[in-house]
Amino acid sequence: MGSEMELLLHAWSYFRRRKFQLCADLCTQLLEKCPYDQAVWILKARALTEMVYIDEIDVDQKGIAEMILDENAIAQVPQKHFVIENELFSKALDLASLSTEHSQFKDWWWKVQIGKCYYRLGMYREAEKQFKSALRQQEMVDTFLYLAKVYIILDQPVTALNLFKQGLDKFPGEVTLLCGIARIYEIWSFLGLVLLFDMANSQPPGDSLNTMQYVCGVLMFLVL
């Protein structure tokens, strides 16, 4: 029993130092000896879900700005990398699901972890359900940000914008929520200019000049 306790403390030390893979591996070793140890299962689940990290501050507008991304860069990533990641996220999802079931679905934190796993697996509607359920139980800034990222990738920036504002009602002046709003307006402005330039290029020579003058006026307004 003493050696198992030492290994558990060692695993917890890895977790505290954010060495989540080492923590999960050590928990796996412990579970081979004590497969029903609840503390080890919970620690392993937490380590795996922390590995499924989403940068909630980085509202990257992947959905509505998809047209300007270089798809070739994505194609160059080895397929094996995606397979390994999906296996990791699936394991984290299974453990988080067991944990939230054990808590009788009353723990908002586990619902957020499940939502993060769904997000990484590309199951955005399922992620949306988990984040919304977590918010009904406990309103947290991070959860507002996670849910907003879901709406952004689903090409629903207005819904994301309204969610940021809802979050600000609960957490006035919260910088990350304000940054999320600013990024949405920023990408709207950029995409608007792209469309205006495309429209100018598609016009006859005379009309094109007038349209370009209008575009330049808009650009000066945005800069000033």
Side-chain angles (χ1 to χ4, degrees), residues 173-197:
E174 171 58 42
V175 174
T176 53
L177 296 172
L178 292 170
C179 287
I181 292 174
R183 290 294 300 277
I184 289 178
Y185 283 128
E186 178 185 24
I187 200 68
W188 275 350
S189 299
F190 176 75
L191 292 180
L193 287 174
V194 171
L195 291 173
L196 285 172
F197 276 111

Side-chain angles (χ1 to χ4, degrees), residues 4-15:
E4 281 81 2
M5 182 58 67
E6 290 179 5
L7 288 174
L8 179 58
L9 291 174
H10 198 180
W12 175 245
S13 175
Y14 280 139
F15 183 87

Side-chain angles (χ1 to χ4, degrees), residues 10 22 32 38 44 59 70 74 89 110 112 118 124 135 140 159 162 170 180 187-188 196 201 208 215 218 220:
H10 198 180
L22 291 174
E32 289 175 355
Q38 183 178 348
K44 181 176 180 178
V59 183
D70 183 4
I74 299 175
F89 302 149
W110 282 116
V112 170
Y118 278 134
Y124 303 118
L135 280 175
M140 300 292 289
T159 304
N162 290 334
K170 300 294 181 180
I187 200 68
W188 275 350
L196 285 172
N201 291 330
S208 178
V215 170
V218 173
M220 290 182 64

Side-chain angles (χ1 to χ4, degrees), residues 69-78 82:
L69 294 180
D70 183 4
E71 295 182 355
N72 292 328
I74 299 175
Q76 291 172 4
V77 178
F82 292 113

Side-chain angles (χ1 to χ4, degrees), residues 20-52:
F20 301 122
Q21 184 63 64
L22 291 174
C23 175
D25 291 343
L26 196 51
C27 286
T28 299
Q29 294 179 28
L30 282 166
L31 289 171
E32 289 175 355
K33 300 178 181 178
C34 305
Y36 302 108
D37 191 319
Q38 183 178 348
V40 179
W41 274 111
I42 291 175
L43 181 57
K44 181 176 180 178
R46 291 199 62 179
L48 289 174
T49 52
E50 286 296 330
M51 292 166 68
V52 189

Side-chain angles (χ1 to χ4, degrees), residues 57-63 65 119 149 152 183 187:
I57 299 176
D58 180 21
V59 183
D60 57 12
Q61 309 295 337
K62 181 178 178 182
Y119 180 93
K149 284 182 73 73
I152 288 167
R183 290 294 300 277
I187 200 68

